[in-house]
Amino acid sequence: MSARHQMICEIASAKAISSPKTGEKVDLEAIFGTNIFSENEMRKRLPKNIFKALMKTIKNDERLDPAIADVVAQAMKNWALEKGATHYAHVFYPLTGLTAEKHDSFLSPDGKGGAVAEFSGKQLIQGEPDASSFPSGGLRATFEARGYTAWDVTSPAYILENPNGNTLCIPTAFCSWTGDALDKKTPLLRSMQALNKQAQRILKLFGHSNPEYVFATAGPEQEYFLIDRKLFSLRPDLMIAGRTLFGAKSPKGQEFEDQYFGVINERVLAFMFDVENQLYKLGVPVKTRHNEVAPSQYEIAPVYENANVAADHQHLIMQTLKNTAHRYGLACLLHEKPFAGINGSGKHLNWSLASGNMNLLDPGDNPHDNAQFLVFCAAVIRAVHKYAPLLRATVAHAGNDHRLGANEAPPAIISIYLGDMLTEVFDQIEKGNIKGSGKTGFLEVGVDTLPPLPKDAGDRNRTSPFAFTGNKFEFRTVGSSQSIAGPLVVLNTIVAESLDYIADKLEKMTGGNMAKLNENVQSVIRDIIKEHKAVIFNGDNYSEKWHAEAKKRGLPNFSNTVDAFKHVISNSDTYANLFEKYQVLTKREFNSRNDIYIERYCKEINTEALLAKQIAKNMFLPAAHRRQNELASTAQALKEVGIKNPDISFLKEITGDVAILEKTIRKLEKVIEHKGKGELIDHAKYYRDEVIPVINELRAISDKLEVAIPDDLWPLPSYLEMLFLK
């Protein structure tokens, strides 16, 4: 029996895995946040003056007083020790796409043969990991190793549990000895400062004399696949590349449309319960779980919260999904397109603006009369239109190229869906013919026992890459494997620039006279809509007509990562100046990120090419040769028993396909050897134009052979097995 068939038998005969909590009552309110050093926990453990000083830093963006650090560190250590922690770790997010952490023990020798648990304010505030092994995009030479982590007081410390001991995790920023940001968190925090500064100006114009801190909120919907780990272990492409480089289409995929919101498999549901309980303890407000469109595809979605905390929580969600899947004999796939021919996975980023308890993107019952909302909404429209290429680039990478533009995900064209009511309001303002906005009313469904349902003013548009969904925007192009920090940095910065533009206009036009505000608000909004309405589209973003229309409107359409970054690099001075003006990224930091992401694109494609060659050469070719020999032996045997002209058409077909396979393997070997010349973007262009097409050629002939070769000879688990066997 082959390893593949042995694994299938083991899966089929395995007992159902149940959650360890089965039969036990879970008190959600009691467990939520038990593993975070929360505001309530700090209030109980810190002196009042220390607590108040710390809250000022957290809630008002004031500088941390180092003098309080020792007191906080002592309280945090005592709490962590009570929770079973033996080590602490400064957790940071380097530009690799992974979470990084270095663990240090609380234990310190006392010089008398014993030891004590120590944790000082200095250790809390600053760590020092080796920065030389993380990508810097030329910011640092390899030998320049010193790097620092700095405590992010606005994101709570938490306990990461392990059966053999727990760890106190401290969210931190990561920078080099020269002060350059080497992570995702630092620019995010800077962008939120920039956003607050400009939003405060708008709020003061509307009569808020002392407005509360303005911050972005985020709620990312995480899509993912689950397959049995035994099958996963037999797929080198899934293990290394995160996606199947080969695989013939399953007889059944998603065409029956029976997966979406379907009943969740018991084993998967047990896994979900476990994931959610862990996340509840960590204060992650996960709200929704359901089957997604494709078989074995699922979604977990939190309630939206402070964008910085949401970004940290998103890393925790991905980490928890992967770790927990292993315990249930499953493998969690976060790649944007693990399987060809069925829906890929995204990470829809719900984004809004808040000040205290006020949602600045809530239109209220009558958005026409909500001038403040209209200003903030107009700022977003202007920002998205003016900086669409930046938004496109921030979600550009090799994995997402398989997803964006297909009839499952938003196109690469960045546009905004506003819905009928808001579109009507802005149309009226543009034309100067203001009548009012449409009413929502109720939806009658024709069943006497059902109550009237409140009806929203506009429908939803699942094809839009940037859709207004009632009191927030949903940025739907973010890839499932990506951190949300990058898109948040861009969104926050470009909206800050738009708010700056509007505030300058209104301050100049009103001269401080509030009586002039309304008429000038209308004037500014009218000019913005006239200049930027091309980005508003409420129709079907998948249609060919829209692609043609978008071109007429001058909207950029960068269908792949190379084109997206080529544009950004060609206009690097403009974009770098934007980030530098608002102190989000220096020019050095901006350019370094372009280099890092382009280099990563090249490495990913090169890895896939090497892997595809190895699998085809070492696994598929021997299987094809064995099938060829079987057919030839059968034909010869038939001749020997007297059949003069046995049908050898299948043998001829296999022989021809094997020849194509061998030829394509050699072709791939050749294009891998030649790396291209010039700048990094030229190397990336070579991989896109020369390497990827040959990988696709190799896949086409391999997938054809998979269907033609007997099941017992084919070495890899099939799509049918991976997607439907649990």
Side-chain angles (χ1 to χ4, degrees):
M1 185 183 293
S2 68
R4 173 189 169 196
H5 288 89
Q6 184 179 342
M7 294 297 185
I8 292 171
C9 291
E10 288 181 12
I11 296 165
S13 61
K15 293 181 180 179
I17 298 177
S18 300
S19 169
K21 297 289 185 183
T22 297
E24 297 180 18
K25 182 182 177 181
V26 179
D27 190 336
L28 296 180
E29 293 182 1
I31 68 169
F32 189 84
T34 53
N35 280 354
I36 62 171
F37 197 57
S38 62
E39 181 177 334
N40 287 335
E41 199 65 49
M42 288 187 283
R43 183 181 285 108
K44 287 190 297 184
R45 293 175 178 269
L46 296 173
K48 284 186 179 180
N49 62 321
I50 301 293
F51 175 75
K52 286 181 179 179
L54 191 59
M55 286 299 103
K56 281 185 178 181
T57 297
I58 295 173
K59 296 189 175 182
N60 300 329
D61 200 35
E62 296 186 8
R63 187 175 294 275
L64 176 67
D65 182 359
I68 72 172
D70 276 327
V71 182
V72 177
Q74 185 66 26
M76 192 182 290
K77 181 200 73 175
N78 291 339
W79 171 77
L81 292 175
E82 291 170 16
K83 289 286 186 178
T86 59
H87 290 68
Y88 65 92
H90 289 103
V91 178
F92 56 102
Y93 310 104
L95 297 167
T96 56
L98 304 172
T99 301
E101 53 192 48
K102 185 182 83 169
H103 294 209
D104 289 292
S105 173
F106 286 117
L107 206 65
S108 294
D110 62 3
K112 302 175 183 178
V116 293
E118 290 185 345
F119 186 57
S120 68
K122 183 180 178 181
Q123 291 167 315
L124 170 62
I125 289 176
Q126 183 176 309
E128 189 178 338
D130 185 345
S132 63
S133 299
F134 295 102
S136 70
L139 289 173
R140 302 281 282 161
T142 304
F143 64 86
E144 296 173 312
R146 193 178 296 278
Y148 299 112
T149 55
W151 177 33
D152 174 17
V153 68
T154 64
S155 187
Y158 57 92
I159 297 292
L160 205 59
E161 294 181 329
N162 184 280
N164 294 326
N166 299 336
T167 304
L168 170 66
C169 294
I170 305 160
T172 62
F174 180 45
C175 65
S176 70
W177 182 80
T178 54
D180 294 306
L182 299 177
D183 67 339
K184 301 182 181 78
K185 178 181 280 288
T186 303
L188 176 55
L189 292 171
R190 293 172 182 169
S191 73
M192 293 186 71
Q193 288 181 174
L195 186 63
N196 171 60
K197 182 178 178 180
Q198 302 306 326
Q200 292 275 344
R201 295 172 64 194
I202 299 295
L203 291 179
K204 287 175 181 177
L205 281 165
F206 279 92
H208 302 274
S209 57
N210 189 26
E212 293 188 60
Y213 188 84
V214 177
F215 58 95
T217 62
E221 304 167 17
Q222 178 71 60
E223 295 174 345
Y224 61 97
F225 282 82
L226 289 174
I227 67 169
D228 193 278
R229 193 163 191 86
K230 295 184 180 72
L231 300 177
F232 172 83
S233 67
L234 294 176
R235 294 286 315 211
D237 47 0
L238 280 178
M239 286 194 292
I240 303 302
R243 74 180 184 98
T244 52
L245 299 175
F246 307 97
K249 186 179 178 182
S250 168
K252 179 182 183 296
Q254 62 189 54
E255 63 274 6
F256 285 85
E257 299 175 336
D258 56 349
Q259 169 75 8
Y260 194 52
F261 281 24
V263 176
I264 302 172
N265 171 278
E266 185 177 357
R267 181 183 180 190
V268 172
L269 189 58
F271 154 83
M272 289 178 170
F273 273 121
D274 199 338
V275 166
E276 290 164 357
N277 285 340
Q278 293 176 65
L279 293 173
Y280 291 150
K281 291 179 182 180
L282 294 168
V284 183
V286 287
K287 181 75 171 178
T288 302
R289 60 170 182 242
H290 62 82
N291 280 358
E292 261 295 340
V293 173
S296 290
Q297 187 186 32
Y298 310 94
E299 180 178 296
I300 180 171
V303 177
Y304 57 102
E305 52 188 335
N306 178 289
N308 175 48
V309 176
D312 288 353
H313 283 171
Q314 178 56 210
H315 282 264
L316 279 173
I317 288 172
M318 291 191 290
Q319 179 183 336
T320 304
L321 286 171
K322 284 190 141 317
N323 291 349
T324 308
H326 200 170
R327 292 206 297 269
Y328 287 80
L330 299 166
C332 177
L333 310 179
L334 295 177
H335 194 283
E336 286 70 23
K337 196 73 171 179
F339 303 99
I342 61 173
N343 273 21
S345 298
K347 189 173 331 209
H348 303 161
L349 176 58
N350 295 282
W351 178 90
S352 192
L353 297 172
S355 177
N357 295 321
M358 178 170 52
N359 185 339
L360 301 178
L361 288 176
D362 186 349
D365 294 333
N366 189 357
H368 180 272
D369 295 332
N370 191 342
Q372 180 178 286
F373 158 76
L374 292 173
V375 165
F376 279 100
C377 190
V380 176
I381 293 169
R382 178 184 177 275
V384 172
H385 185 223
K386 187 175 180 180
Y387 298 105
L390 267 182
L391 278 175
R392 173 65 183 91
T394 199
V395 298
H397 67 104
N400 225 10
D401 279 0
H402 296 284
R403 169 178 166 263
L404 293 183
N407 284 348
E408 61 176 85
I413 305 165
I414 302 295
S415 65
I416 293 177
Y417 169 81
L418 285 182
D420 295 339
M421 185 174 69
L422 273 184
T423 302
E424 181 186 352
V425 169
F426 282 116
D427 281 346
Q428 290 177 18
I429 293 174
E430 183 194 359
K431 295 171 183 175
N433 184 25
I434 302 168
K435 299 176 181 178
S437 50
K439 301 296 183 182
T440 54
F442 290 86
L443 183 67
E444 297 286 352
V445 294
V447 179
D448 292 341
T449 56
L450 295 179
L453 303 176
K455 183 181 179 182
D456 291 307
D459 206 347
R460 297 185 71 185
N461 189 327
R462 304 295 290 178
T463 71
S464 176
F466 201 88
F468 186 75
T469 58
N471 59 4
K472 60 188 184 302
F473 283 94
E474 184 180 35
F475 189 28
R476 294 173 53 81
T477 60
V478 184
S480 55
S481 68
Q482 288 188 285
S483 167
I484 62 170
L488 284 171
V489 168
V490 173
L491 269 173
N492 292 346
T493 305
I494 63 177
V495 172
E497 190 274 337
S498 271
L499 293 173
D500 185 11
Y501 168 85
I502 294 172
D504 281 350
K505 288 273 189 184
L506 291 176
E507 286 167 357
K508 185 177 180 181
M509 293 165 86
T510 62
N513 185 351
M514 293 295 296
K516 297 181 179 180
L517 181 63
N518 281 340
E519 63 179 281
N520 286 305
V521 162
Q522 290 184 31
S523 175
V524 170
I525 292 175
R526 181 171 61 248
D527 291 345
I528 287 174
I529 296 304
K530 283 182 178 178
E531 186 175 354
H532 300 286
K533 65 181 179 181
V535 79
I536 300 171
F537 178 66
N538 293 337
D540 183 1
N541 287 255
Y542 296 157
S543 69
E544 290 298 322
K545 287 183 179 180
W546 166 236
H547 284 244
E549 173 64 21
K551 189 175 181 180
K552 285 182 184 177
R553 297 187 186 189
L555 301 181
N557 184 4
F558 303 119
S559 61
N560 56 78
T561 295
V562 177
D563 286 345
F565 274 104
K566 189 175 180 181
H567 172 87
V568 171
I569 292 168
S570 300
N571 297 273
S572 60
D573 285 346
T574 299
Y575 296 133
N577 288 337
L578 165 73
F579 288 108
E580 196 157 64
K581 178 180 179 181
Y582 295 98
Q583 300 179 321
V584 175
L585 292 168
T586 65
K587 287 184 179 181
R588 276 166 45 87
E589 290 170 338
F590 175 78
N591 291 326
S592 74
R593 279 150 175 79
N594 290 331
D595 287 350
I596 288 168
Y597 296 141
I598 295 167
E599 184 179 29
R600 181 174 178 180
Y601 173 88
C602 295
K603 287 179 177 178
E604 287 183 358
I605 304 302
N606 190 62
T607 298
E608 289 188 355
L610 291 170
L611 191 57
K613 180 200 74 172
Q614 182 174 318
I615 292 172
K617 195 172 185 177
N618 298 344
M619 301 178 81
F620 297 165
L621 197 56
H625 282 156
R626 285 196 290 270
R627 179 55 174 164
Q628 206 176 7
N629 290 335
E630 284 182 352
L631 291 169
S633 298
T634 300
Q636 184 61 36
L638 289 171
K639 287 180 180 180
E640 290 175 358
V641 297
I643 299 175
K644 294 182 179 180
N645 296 305
D647 186 356
I648 58 170
S649 58
F650 198 34
L651 173 60
K652 288 181 177 179
E653 185 179 345
I654 286 284
T655 301
D657 290 341
V658 169
I660 295 171
L661 179 65
E662 292 173 335
K663 181 182 178 181
T664 311
I665 291 172
R666 289 193 293 271
K667 186 178 178 181
L668 183 58
E669 288 174 332
K670 186 177 179 180
V671 295
I672 293 172
E673 289 174 4
H674 180 70
K675 304 291 185 182
K677 298 179 181 180
E679 302 292 328
L680 269 174
I681 193 67
D682 298 313
H683 286 265
K685 188 175 183 298
Y686 176 82
Y687 277 107
R688 181 195 66 185
D689 297 341
E690 304 296 333
V691 178
I692 290 177
V694 184
I695 295 174
N696 292 337
E697 285 179 38
L698 189 59
R699 174 170 194 151
I701 188 61
S702 298
D703 290 356
K704 184 182 179 184
L705 283 166
E706 179 183 347
V707 177
I709 292 174
D711 194 62
D712 62 326
L713 292 180
W714 194 251
L716 298 184
S718 68
Y719 271 29
L720 185 151
E721 293 155 0
M722 289 186 289
L723 292 171
F724 293 99
L725 187 59
K726 285 190 182 66

